[in-house]
Amino acid sequence: MTADGTVAEPIDTAGTSTIVADIAIVGGGLAGSLAAAVLARAGHRIALIEKRAVHPDEFRVEKIGGHQLELLRKLGFLNALENVACRYDQVLNIREGKVVDVSVGQAYGFSYVDLVAMARSQIPASSNLIVDEATAISGGGDVQHLELASGRRVTARLVVLATGMAAALGYKLGIKRRILAERHSVSFGFTIARQDGRPFDFEALTCYGERTADGIDYLSLFPVRAGMRANLFMFRDPTDPIMRELRREPEATVLRLLPGLRTYLGDFRVIDRVQNWVMDLTVVEGHLQPGIVLIGDAFQTNCPAAGTGVARLLVDVDRLCTEYAPKWLATPGMGLEKISQFYSDREKIAADQQSLKMAHFRQALTSRNDIGWDVRRRLHFLRRSLTHRVDQMHPGWIGRVRGALRA
């Protein structure tokens, strides 16, 4: 869905040294591009500043489901997502070669670069994207000033920093990143196919780690346009030799770490390069400043295994772009009393806290080997298995009981 071209007036950047906008967004990844689209479609004059015209093929978020889809639908992106993603409706969950349960629900797999391109395609005017690099910010009153590497300037009432974990621009403003958990998790991404060229016998599959010493949370397999995508999430020292083995011999290493997978995958091969990512859990400090807001990873990072990053990002975009920014622009000033409303928003705070809670839970459930967590781990998978068996014998009964309890 895009707005009528007469609603959001494009910014004329040709031959101008100063660009004037209502809101300047620094960073054209997923958070910045979604925010730009939402605000531009609402009729605000947007300058999205990104140093690359085409986003690089990064290993970032590659699947969306559950509540995240409801947020995308609310923001008006779900139809566009369906054009770049592969839908799947059932995930087979296994551990030690045995079925734990089956997750049923709409979900999508995609490449991150396609997701960002989708978000940018929803910005009404292509001239809203300024291919340049922001090097400095000044202001603090009703108008903020951005200096660009090309020598041009952007003036805007509000600046949104959606720069991910790149901290240089914020650091100049005194915004610093505090590490909550260094090298918290390691993620690997690669695409696989069967040796015989036939499709796999499942829509999607999740295989959970079998031994705490391995530090494997789970391997998630799901369809993307290029084939069957694999995301492996681990809580392990990123300097461990196993990391090198996963990059050099991914097929043999995965089956050695998760032997129960062999029955489900058969003879398979990795058909593209193995990508990996080491994630620190961090949050910023000194961010409450007039005229400037941080969203997504620029504010707080997430554990990829917890699957809360996109939800947090979407909550940030929703609350800022549909609730606060339009109201702020309607009255003079862009002081701390306005900016603090976003950081104090209950939905944002809840999403941030839930993200950190799930990050620590996934790590403990995967790696803690004391008796308390061993019992909790066994009960976790036993409960899921028993629920699945009951649901097989009495379809829908579990759902009705849960609905009655919620009522």
Side-chain angles (χ1 to χ4, degrees):
M1 181 178 76
T2 58
D4 188 312
T6 62
V7 175
E9 180 183 350
I11 297 171
D12 182 12
T13 63
T16 61
S17 58
T18 301
I19 301 160
V20 180
D22 298 321
I23 301 175
I25 301 170
V26 183
L30 184 59
S33 297
L34 288 174
V38 172
L39 290 165
R41 290 188 312 198
H44 303 292
R45 193 164 46 168
I46 303 303
L48 175 60
I49 303 162
E50 167 58 46
K51 59 185 177 181
R52 295 159 296 201
V54 177
H55 202 277
D57 185 16
E58 293 181 324
F59 173 40
R60 302 294 293 275
V61 55
E62 297 185 333
K63 60 179 178 176
I64 288 179
H67 177 58
Q68 299 163 349
L69 293 179
E70 293 305 313
L71 287 169
L72 275 178
R73 181 180 288 108
K74 177 183 178 183
L75 293 170
F77 294 104
L78 191 56
N79 289 340
L81 173 69
E82 292 176 341
N83 294 328
V84 300
C86 292
R87 175 173 171 170
Y88 57 98
D89 298 288
Q90 191 173 89
V91 182
L92 180 66
N93 302 305
I94 66 171
R95 187 169 186 255
E96 298 179 341
K98 301 175 183 178
V99 175
V100 175
D101 57 14
V102 177
S103 303
V104 178
Q106 185 178 351
Y108 293 89
F110 42 78
S111 71
Y112 182 72
V113 66
D114 285 345
L115 189 64
V116 173
M118 176 278 292
R120 291 187 186 181
S121 74
Q122 300 303 296
I123 302 173
S126 60
S127 58
N128 288 119
L129 174 62
I130 301 171
V131 181
D132 210 329
E133 183 177 5
T135 57
I137 305 176
S138 60
D142 194 45
V143 178
Q144 323 312 318
H145 304 278
L146 281 162
E147 296 180 13
L148 306 184
S150 65
R152 293 182 295 177
R153 294 169 61 89
V154 175
T155 64
R157 292 195 58 199
L158 177 66
V159 173
V160 179
L161 295 185
T163 49
M165 286 157 282
L169 193 60
Y171 189 80
K172 294 179 180 179
L173 296 168
I175 300 172
K176 298 181 180 179
R177 192 171 291 275
R178 178 164 60 93
I179 296 178
L180 304 176
E182 190 173 12
R183 301 190 298 183
H184 175 76
S185 64
V186 183
S187 307
F188 284 84
F190 48 90
T191 309
I192 65 173
R194 286 175 57 122
Q195 292 283 15
D196 59 12
R198 295 173 55 196
F200 291 98
D201 296 329
F202 51 81
E203 270 194 278
L205 181 146
T206 299
C207 179
Y208 293 96
E210 301 181 10
R211 298 171 294 271
T212 55
D214 293 332
I216 294 178
D217 192 347
Y218 60 92
L219 173 73
S220 177
L221 299 169
F222 52 93
V224 296
R225 287 182 169 182
M228 186 65 71
R229 188 66 174 168
N231 284 178
L232 176 64
F233 302 106
M234 308 177 70
F235 298 100
R236 194 158 171 167
D237 186 345
T239 64
D240 191 293
I242 197 69
M243 306 301 167
R244 184 171 60 252
E245 295 174 31
L246 280 165
R247 289 190 293 268
R248 292 181 177 178
E249 299 179 328
E251 300 92 343
T253 308
V254 164
L255 291 179
R256 177 160 55 83
L257 293 171
L258 299 168
L261 263 178
R262 190 178 299 273
T263 302
Y264 298 88
L265 296 186
D267 292 329
F268 75 98
R269 59 191 176 92
V270 174
I271 61 175
D272 61 1
R273 70 187 180 96
V274 178
Q275 301 169 287
N276 75 290
W277 186 274
V278 180
M279 178 62 75
D280 297 332
L281 290 184
T282 66
V283 65
V284 294
E285 297 176 333
H287 53 281
L288 185 55
Q289 301 195 18
I292 299 171
V293 168
L294 282 71
I295 62 171
D297 285 347
F299 177 77
Q300 176 183 304
T301 58
N302 317 273
C303 171
T308 56
V310 176
R312 271 198 60 251
L313 182 156
L314 291 172
V315 169
D316 278 359
V317 171
D318 177 39
R319 301 307 294 158
L320 176 65
C321 301
T322 67
E323 175 67 20
Y324 295 109
K327 290 196 303 185
W328 296 345
L329 293 173
T331 57
M334 200 59 68
L336 296 181
E337 72 285 352
K338 286 185 175 181
I339 303 302
S340 63
Q341 292 172 0
F342 170 69
Y343 294 123
S344 302
D345 182 82
R346 287 188 295 178
E347 290 183 37
K348 172 179 171 50
I349 291 173
D352 292 340
Q353 291 178 342
Q354 177 66 10
S355 180
L356 291 177
K357 177 182 176 181
M358 287 302 299
H360 295 304
F361 172 76
R362 294 307 316 179
Q363 183 183 42
L365 189 68
T366 299
S367 305
R368 290 277 296 271
N369 55 12
D370 57 89
I371 189 169
W373 275 99
D374 183 57
V375 170
R376 189 170 181 176
R377 186 162 38 248
R378 292 175 186 274
L379 289 176
H380 173 82
F381 287 105
L382 178 61
R383 174 185 56 80
R384 290 180 55 175
S385 180
L386 290 176
T387 300
H388 175 61
R389 292 179 185 177
V390 170
D391 202 47
Q392 283 185 310
M393 293 186 290
H394 305 283
W397 185 79
I398 294 292
R400 291 192 294 271
V401 170
R402 288 173 175 167
L405 291 175
R406 283 195 294 267

